[in-house]
Amino acid sequence: MKLQIEKLVYGGPGVAHLSEGTAAGEAVLVPFTLQGELIEASLLEQNKSNEASLLHVLDASGDRVQPRCVHFGECGGCHYQHADYPAQKKIKISILRETLERAGLKTLPEIQSHTADPWGYRNRMRLRVKKVDSTLRVGYNRRGTNEFLPIQECPITAPLLWRAAQSVLQAAVEDSMIQRWIDNVSDIELFTSGDETKLQMSLFVLKQQQPGLASFCERMKQLVPELVGAGSSLIKPPGPQRQIQKPYPLESWGASGLSYHAAGEDYWVSRGGFFQVNRFLVDELVEIVATNRQGTLAWDLFAGVGLFSRALAKKFAQVVAVEVAGSDLVNSFKGPGKRAVEATAVEFLRHTAVQRDRPQLIVMDPPRAGVGAEVCSLLARVSAPELVYVSCDPVTLGRDLKMLVDAGYRVEQLHSVDLFPQTFHLETVVVLRR
């Protein structure tokens, strides 16, 4: 069937409406399309969401380009490589505004866009390891499936990460003992400092095995001198109700983390710990959140390793950093005017909402689920003059902003910080004031 793509929506696909038959008027989602294109597509069988597969582009958009990666379309990681980068920025800003307006936020400021190099930006990658025709390969999942896709490149990751992945395969080929050890590895996660001078490696194994990590890492160190530490963990298949089991730590080698320099500070990131993934935009993200803000007291909820807390501590007399997995934070964020609290945001707010201390600023950077109704209610009770909300999901962001606006806040600034070029993912910074 022929379809005219009307717009792109969150998640990556373009939207068209059927013009003929009993289903006329129904929306159809077609990945890898662009606004205004005339395409030929085929509805997928047994698909409740009316998703179609793109067969041919009959009238291409002027924004369409040749994808840089040979795996684009097969791999589930990227969604927009068929659009030039200026078009990607416009797509994301349009989707962000429409999503927030749909949540009931009608009076919004102009969205400010912040970008950097759209290639080689990722400081972390996680790869599956599997034999294909008796040859060890690394790869991702094929789009929309759990099927293994062996890859030969990943241009959105830092070059050091791909070099390290290739070195794993080289080490296995050169040494039969290493190969036997690697045969038990299911996944490898690689994390690099922003300047690519240090590398951490996490290996996830399917069963406990004989020691062998040290000899493997010593060979890897010869191939990749940037390697500073590694660890192996036992990973189990999903349990009842398909629950993912937490990996069980086994052997380790070298340092337990690495020092990541960003925004004029050094942050200790433990192996497997969270840090912002775009190595080119971390400094700008910190500047948007923390620059030109000062006062007596600030709270940083969902603080992670203290990325924003450190910057805030330069301008506020006291900063309280709150993180549920806060062992690294407790050890590193201390000294005059600095306090780390290992707790969930809701636990912290339940306790502090009845206290007399009132911050001038609250920063929050929650996971995709957002902060939720109870946190929004508690924030309204605390009634800080200024909130800064860092979001990686526009849908939950819209839901939470609507509750905060209904509680008396107004949206003063909207920033689109493109931490995930070539993908549909959106990072947004919102400044709210009473």
Side-chain angles (χ1 to χ4, degrees):
M1 56 186 176
K2 290 182 181 180
L3 295 169
Q4 188 88 40
I5 301 300
E6 299 159 19
K7 63 179 180 180
L8 270 64
V9 294
Y10 187 60
V15 176
H17 285 84
L18 297 173
S19 58
E20 299 175 353
T22 57
E26 285 191 17
V28 180
L29 303 177
V30 192
F32 312 123
T33 56
L34 295 172
Q35 183 174 345
E37 290 187 327
L38 180 65
I39 63 156
E40 190 174 17
S42 175
L43 275 176
L44 300 180
E45 293 183 9
Q46 298 178 335
N47 189 339
K48 295 179 181 178
S49 64
N50 264 15
E51 184 177 344
S53 61
L54 175 65
L55 300 177
H56 304 287
V57 178
L58 303 175
D59 186 8
S61 164
D63 296 327
R64 180 172 285 275
V65 295
Q66 182 66 29
R68 179 164 166 177
C69 179
V70 296
H71 305 294
F72 180 66
E74 284 187 291
C75 173
C78 290
H79 317 91
Y80 288 157
Q81 284 194 30
H82 60 298
D84 70 12
Y85 192 52
Q88 291 185 34
K89 293 186 289 185
K90 292 177 184 176
I91 290 166
K92 291 187 177 185
I93 288 174
S94 175
I95 290 172
L96 175 59
R97 179 170 289 279
E98 182 175 342
T99 304
L100 297 182
E101 288 176 348
R102 194 182 301 118
L105 299 158
K106 301 302 183 185
T107 306
L108 295 171
E110 180 182 353
I111 299 173
Q112 302 175 53
S113 179
H114 306 263
T115 60
D117 191 333
W119 301 103
Y121 63 86
R122 286 191 64 93
N123 56 29
R124 188 186 302 272
M125 74 186 308
R126 180 161 174 164
L127 294 159
R128 291 178 62 186
V129 183
K130 193 172 182 179
K131 278 190 173 178
V132 178
D133 297 328
S134 301
T135 301
L136 197 66
R137 300 289 301 273
V138 293
Y140 297 129
N141 285 346
R142 290 189 184 276
R143 190 176 75 90
T145 74
N146 290 320
E147 184 184 340
F148 177 69
L149 174 70
I151 64 168
Q152 62 190 52
E153 65 175 346
C154 185
I156 64 171
T157 59
L160 172 62
L161 301 182
W162 183 244
R163 177 159 58 88
Q166 291 176 302
S167 297
V168 170
L169 302 180
Q170 180 182 340
V173 168
E174 292 174 346
D175 189 314
S176 59
M177 291 185 65
I178 289 177
Q179 178 160 1
R180 283 195 295 272
W181 196 87
I182 292 293
D183 282 347
N184 188 37
V185 173
S186 167
D187 296 77
I188 295 177
E189 184 173 271
L190 300 162
F191 176 63
T192 179
S193 55
D195 58 4
E196 298 184 275
T197 58
K198 295 179 285 291
L199 177 74
Q200 272 287 343
M201 178 170 61
S202 301
L203 300 113
F204 300 92
V205 299
L206 296 169
K207 58 184 178 181
Q208 269 184 282
Q209 56 192 31
Q210 295 297 316
L213 178 67
S215 58
F216 168 57
C217 290
E218 285 157 11
R219 177 57 183 142
M220 281 291 293
K221 181 73 172 176
Q222 295 173 341
L223 297 170
V224 187
E226 297 88 347
L227 183 67
V228 296
S232 63
S233 298
L234 183 65
I235 187 169
K236 296 181 180 179
Q241 290 83 47
R242 300 188 60 80
Q243 291 178 338
I244 302 298
Q245 304 293 313
K246 187 175 181 181
Y248 177 76
L250 298 173
E251 290 183 273
S252 63
W253 174 90
S256 62
L258 58 78
S259 179
Y260 198 112
H261 187 79
E265 298 279 345
D266 291 313
Y267 298 88
W268 180 256
V269 185
S270 290
R271 187 167 45 248
F274 172 78
F275 197 80
Q276 294 290 349
V277 75
N278 190 311
R279 62 197 182 105
F280 300 141
L281 278 171
V282 174
D283 289 16
E284 189 159 355
L285 181 64
V286 173
E287 183 177 347
I288 295 165
V289 171
T291 299
N292 299 325
R293 293 184 170 83
Q294 59 187 4
T296 305
L297 176 62
W299 295 347
D300 182 11
L301 310 181
F302 310 92
V305 297
L307 180 64
F308 303 129
S309 307
R310 295 271 197 94
L312 293 169
K314 296 175 182 178
K315 295 291 184 71
F316 283 81
Q318 184 178 20
V319 175
V320 181
V322 182
E323 171 57 45
V324 64
S327 55
D328 282 350
L329 188 66
V330 169
N331 292 330
S332 64
F333 192 70
K334 52 190 177 183
K338 299 176 182 177
R339 183 162 71 95
V341 177
E342 195 164 5
T344 65
V346 72
E347 289 168 347
F348 174 78
L349 288 170
R350 283 172 186 163
H351 175 72
T352 53
V354 298
Q355 305 293 318
R356 290 187 177 181
D357 288 345
R358 287 293 181 265
Q360 285 81 50
L361 172 69
I362 300 176
V363 172
M364 44 199 173
D365 183 8
R368 295 195 187 284
V371 299
E374 185 175 0
V375 167
C376 288
S377 176
L378 290 166
L379 289 170
R381 283 180 62 187
V382 172
S383 194
E386 186 172 35
L387 306 177
V388 179
Y389 192 141
V390 183
S391 166
C392 58
D393 188 299
V395 177
T396 57
L397 173 65
R399 176 203 66 198
D400 292 342
L401 288 183
K402 183 65 167 66
M403 288 186 280
L404 292 170
V405 167
D406 288 347
Y409 282 95
R410 63 185 181 279
V411 177
E412 290 276 314
Q413 295 177 27
L414 265 175
H415 299 265
S416 173
V417 187
D418 194 16
L419 298 187
F420 312 99
Q422 318 307 330
T423 81
F424 70 77
H425 298 292
L426 293 169
E427 190 83 3
T428 310
V429 180
V430 187
V431 178
L432 302 105
R433 295 193 180 98
R434 280 212 177 269

